[in-house]
Amino acid sequence: MPPLTAHKVYPARRLKVSRFSVPLAAAAALALVGRAAAQDTVPVVADTVTAAAQDTAAVPRVRLRFPGARRLAFRAPRALDPGGILGERRAPGLVAAQWETETRTLLARNQAARRQERLLSSLGLRIGPQVARRRRTARIPRPEEFLEPPEEETEAARTFRAVAAYADLGLDLRARIEVKLDRLRNARCTAAEINDPTLGCQGGFPTPSFDEEFRVRAGGIVSDRVHVNVDFDSEREFSANNNINVFYQGLEDEILRRVEVGNVTFRAPNSRFITAAVPGNSFGVQAEAQVGPLEFRTILAQQKGSAIRARDFTVGDATTQPVDIEARDLDFEQSRFFFVVDPRTFPSYPQVDVLNIQPETLPSDLQIANVRIYRLRAQSGQLGNNVNLGGIDAIAVRRDSPQRVGPFSWELLVEGQDYYLDPSAAWFALASRLGTDDFLAVSYVTLAGDTVGTFPSINGVQDTLELIHEPRRGPEVPTFFYEMRNAYRLAGQNIDRATLTLILRLGTSETPLDAQGTYLSRLGLALATDASKLDDFNRVFPRERDPGGGLPIRELFVMFPHLQPLADSVRLLQGERNDSLYRTPAYLLRTQGPASRFTLELHYEATGAGDRSNLSLGTIQVRAGSE
């Protein structure tokens, strides 16, 4: 668009002004008056420009310039544009495309302007009045200028757009809700059991129970000051393993340096007087500040997890500490104790005392002369033949079921290093727990000369083994009964066995329903002379008289003289037994298993090793017995 010009008038000729020049001049005058009113003094500079020498008919012109102002530009009315009311007719699609282009351009310009305003505001500056006026006058074209109305931005879209502008967060949330209805019906109720709701004598369904499980992981920064770090899983065994931490990080010249909310740790100066008593992994609020050379920190939190609030130590010939542990009947030692032969073939099954098996009392096909035990680690991949471990490529099968595993490379376990073998050779105990997906197999020779499995392997013939453990299987397969469920872990070998006491309770009572003795004596764990004291000499494994002291087993276990002690119909009444405990697979005990009935309360004195002047505080966030 050419700049605004004013023509010089000569006396010898008249200047013809068309009718379109009047509104043009009027608009120019109004613009000049408005500009002069907006400014106190506007200097006007006259610039006389002559035409080119070759243009003899050119008329001298005068151009007005206003310093600091933009050029005056005039645009034809939109009604005269192609597609307008008075303009050339255009297709609706082209009009819509033109409006979309103009609108997107204007939106991008407005977003850039808002980002600039936020940046200037954070620096303590503000935009000039001219820029603000231009932004206020910017607008989206009117509805009549396009064919389809624009979509309005929702509140949710504006909210997420604002969050994305100030925060950089990552979020991973998974949730599950379960509704469960359990019905317990007891058809053999007595008159005394009618009013007990826990025995199932009253019909009907109880109130449905809701169980919600969720896992959330989030991390990121908000406004370069607030840091988020969340890792929470409601299915974790220990709540102390969950981490919820949100903290504000101040600048170096600020008084408030840091404010933490969630899992906090009080970091005290190193001191032998207070450091040992400072709790860790607390949940609450902690703040740090600094005023000049003075630094101070405050905390308001509660300790989470398996915390021990008070500890008593006795220092003498050795440093001892009292320990109290409570276990449920569901917490038997899993994947450690197994039979070599099928225990159901024992004459007195399930009343079998594994600590006092006499080999000569067993049938000839159960008297074992030599045995080998093999393990298949499913998670480590199928490796080749390992000469150092004596592994063999074999197939594990069952003679009484269609179970079959292999051919795989099986690892040969070493007696005295990987497992303890009972003198009867009827059962063994592993030094460490079996993996959740591991298999066990055996091959042995009986005193009668019968061979089960390949023993030893024969070249040119496919080796076979007797499968005794297959993971994630129930009582529908015979391998389910090879694992013992009558062993409960007590403690490590750092205890004083003379101080070991055990109380067996049903609910809150240690006296049976018939009021005769205690459950400890009823189930064969008590001394013959004292029904309330544990017979640790005979019932705590390993015993001093066991071969090698029970090596490589380094923990202590209480062994019931019955393979299904809490389902013994001879020693327990109907309302006391927990039969489902011995029919539920181990991996379903926590989700679909029976409710706990019996409780084992254990007390002993733990002794410290090494110099008696040192106290081994251990850890307060790991439960005893967990690996």
Side-chain angles (χ1 to χ4, degrees):
M1 185 74 181
L4 177 65
T5 59
H7 296 274
K8 185 176 181 180
V9 181
Y10 291 89
R13 57 195 309 184
R14 295 181 60 185
L15 179 63
K16 295 184 179 180
V17 180
S18 64
R19 59 178 181 177
F20 293 103
S21 301
V22 175
L24 182 63
L30 291 177
L32 294 176
V33 172
R35 176 65 64 179
Q39 304 180 4
D40 295 337
T41 303
V42 180
V44 179
V45 181
D47 186 8
T48 304
V49 181
T50 59
Q54 63 272 19
D55 189 3
T56 56
V59 179
R61 297 181 300 175
V62 177
R63 183 172 60 189
L64 303 178
R65 292 189 305 168
F66 300 94
R70 297 178 61 185
R71 291 183 177 183
L72 296 178
F74 295 92
R75 188 182 185 282
R78 291 182 176 273
L80 298 178
D81 291 345
I85 299 177
L86 302 178
E88 180 183 357
R89 182 177 181 182
R90 297 180 61 185
L94 298 178
V95 178
Q98 179 183 0
W99 172 86
E100 181 181 1
T101 302
E102 295 178 0
T103 303
R104 291 185 182 276
T105 303
L106 182 58
L107 288 176
R109 185 165 62 251
N110 292 342
Q111 292 176 358
R114 284 193 293 268
R115 286 196 295 268
Q116 183 181 7
E117 291 179 6
R118 289 195 297 269
L119 178 60
L120 294 177
S121 300
S122 63
L123 298 177
L125 304 176
R126 62 186 183 88
I127 62 176
Q130 299 178 0
V131 178
R133 187 181 303 109
R134 288 197 302 269
R135 291 176 182 171
R136 287 195 301 269
T137 56
R139 65 177 182 85
I140 299 176
R142 296 186 301 273
E144 61 270 13
E145 298 173 1
F146 51 88
L147 296 181
E148 297 181 359
E151 296 182 359
E152 296 184 358
E153 188 178 18
T154 62
E155 185 67 23
R158 289 193 295 269
T159 302
F160 281 107
R161 183 161 48 83
V163 171
Y166 295 98
D168 183 10
L169 290 175
L171 177 63
D172 181 13
L173 174 62
R174 300 182 182 182
R176 184 178 75 253
I177 299 178
E178 297 178 358
V179 181
K180 181 173 64 175
L181 285 171
D182 293 334
R183 182 182 182 184
L184 176 62
R185 184 175 182 180
N186 189 357
R188 312 175 83 178
C189 295
T190 62
E193 299 173 346
I194 292 295
N195 296 326
D196 191 346
T198 62
L199 299 180
C201 297
Q202 300 176 3
F205 287 91
T207 303
S209 59
F210 294 86
D211 185 15
E212 60 280 351
E213 304 291 347
F214 65 94
R215 183 183 69 182
V216 57
R217 298 181 63 186
I221 304 177
V222 180
S223 298
D224 296 333
R225 291 291 183 272
V226 181
H227 300 253
V228 180
N229 183 17
V230 177
D231 183 6
F232 184 88
D233 191 348
S234 60
E235 295 182 340
R236 285 176 179 159
E237 183 178 1
F238 302 112
S239 61
N241 292 338
N242 295 320
N243 181 57
I244 302 176
N245 183 255
V246 179
F247 66 92
Y248 165 81
Q249 186 68 48
L251 300 177
E252 295 183 357
D253 57 347
E254 293 181 350
I255 296 178
L256 189 62
R257 291 293 185 86
R258 186 184 181 101
V259 178
E260 294 184 66
V261 179
N263 294 91
V264 296
T265 300
F266 186 73
R267 294 174 291 273
N270 294 330
S271 172
R272 66 187 182 94
F273 297 103
I274 63 175
T275 304
V278 174
N281 195 23
S282 302
F283 191 87
V285 181
Q286 180 177 226
E288 301 177 13
Q290 181 177 4
V291 180
L294 177 62
E295 297 182 4
F296 58 91
R297 178 178 301 168
T298 179
I299 183 173
L300 177 62
Q302 178 183 7
Q303 191 171 5
K304 306 290 289 184
S306 303
I308 301 177
R309 297 183 178 274
R311 294 187 177 189
D312 298 328
F313 297 90
T314 303
V315 180
D317 294 336
T319 302
T320 62
Q321 175 189 4
V323 178
D324 294 286
I325 298 178
E326 183 175 308
R328 306 172 301 168
D329 54 2
L330 305 178
D331 299 330
F332 60 88
E333 188 68 9
Q334 300 181 17
S335 304
R336 293 286 295 274
F337 296 87
F338 295 90
F339 280 98
V340 176
V341 296
D342 192 344
R344 295 175 297 176
T345 59
F346 283 77
S348 59
Y349 178 85
Q351 190 173 351
V352 179
D353 187 0
V354 294
L355 295 181
N356 297 295
I357 296 179
Q358 301 298 329
E360 59 273 7
T361 61
L362 299 176
S364 59
D365 56 343
L366 298 181
Q367 298 181 19
I368 301 175
N370 200 352
V371 63
R372 289 184 180 181
I373 301 175
Y374 300 88
R375 174 174 56 191
L376 174 62
R377 298 181 182 270
Q379 295 180 348
S380 60
Q382 307 307 327
L383 304 179
N385 195 17
N386 193 327
V387 180
N388 295 328
L389 295 177
I392 63 172
D393 293 331
I395 301 175
V397 296
R398 293 288 308 177
R399 294 170 294 176
D400 51 358
S401 72
Q403 293 176 267
R404 178 187 177 95
V405 179
F408 292 133
S409 181
W410 295 77
E411 173 190 357
L412 176 63
L413 302 184
V414 180
E415 182 181 357
Q417 176 180 335
D418 298 321
Y419 66 93
Y420 164 83
L421 184 63
D422 186 69
S424 65
W427 63 274
F428 62 93
L430 295 175
S432 59
R433 286 186 178 181
L434 200 65
T436 56
D437 294 323
D438 292 354
F439 296 80
L440 278 180
V442 297
S443 61
Y444 57 88
V445 178
T446 65
L447 292 178
D450 298 331
T451 302
V452 176
T454 304
F455 197 101
S457 60
I458 302 175
N459 295 331
V461 179
Q462 178 67 60
D463 294 323
T464 60
L465 304 174
E466 179 83 354
L467 184 65
I468 64 171
H469 175 73
E470 183 177 359
R472 303 183 181 277
R473 298 299 296 268
E476 71 278 359
V477 294
T479 54
F480 175 82
F481 301 95
Y482 278 73
E483 181 180 359
M484 298 184 191
R485 298 194 173 194
N486 61 331
Y488 290 83
R489 186 183 187 276
L490 298 180
Q493 292 185 345
N494 61 334
I495 73 171
D496 184 2
R497 297 185 63 155
T499 63
L500 181 62
T501 60
L502 178 65
I503 299 177
L504 188 61
R505 299 180 185 272
L506 175 61
T508 59
S509 175
E510 58 179 314
T511 304
L513 296 181
D514 56 6
Q516 296 181 8
T518 63
Y519 285 112
L520 203 65
S521 61
R522 181 67 60 85
L523 296 178
L525 298 179
L527 291 172
T529 58
D530 192 347
S532 61
K533 189 175 182 180
L534 175 67
D535 185 7
D536 63 287
F537 182 77
N538 295 311
R539 303 314 317 169
V540 177
F541 173 81
R543 301 166 296 182
E544 295 181 357
R545 59 184 182 273
D546 290 328
L551 290 177
I553 307 301
R554 302 185 180 276
E555 299 93 357
L556 297 181
F557 302 89
V558 57
M559 307 288 290
F560 284 85
H562 196 283
L563 296 183
Q564 300 178 2
L566 304 183
D568 190 354
S569 59
V570 177
R571 303 184 179 185
L572 297 177
L573 300 179
Q574 176 67 29
E576 299 173 324
R577 297 195 293 267
N578 194 359
D579 308 65
S580 301
L581 175 62
Y582 307 102
R583 297 192 300 266
T584 306
Y587 73 97
L588 295 178
L589 280 176
R590 295 186 178 274
T591 57
Q592 303 180 18
S596 176
R597 285 180 173 267
F598 287 87
T599 302
L600 289 80
E601 297 181 5
L602 179 68
H603 174 80
Y604 60 87
E605 295 284 342
T607 60
D611 188 2
R612 68 178 184 178
S613 62
N614 296 330
L615 300 181
S616 179
L617 298 178
T619 178
I620 59 177
Q621 300 299 336
V622 178
R623 189 181 65 183
S626 63
E627 281 80 12

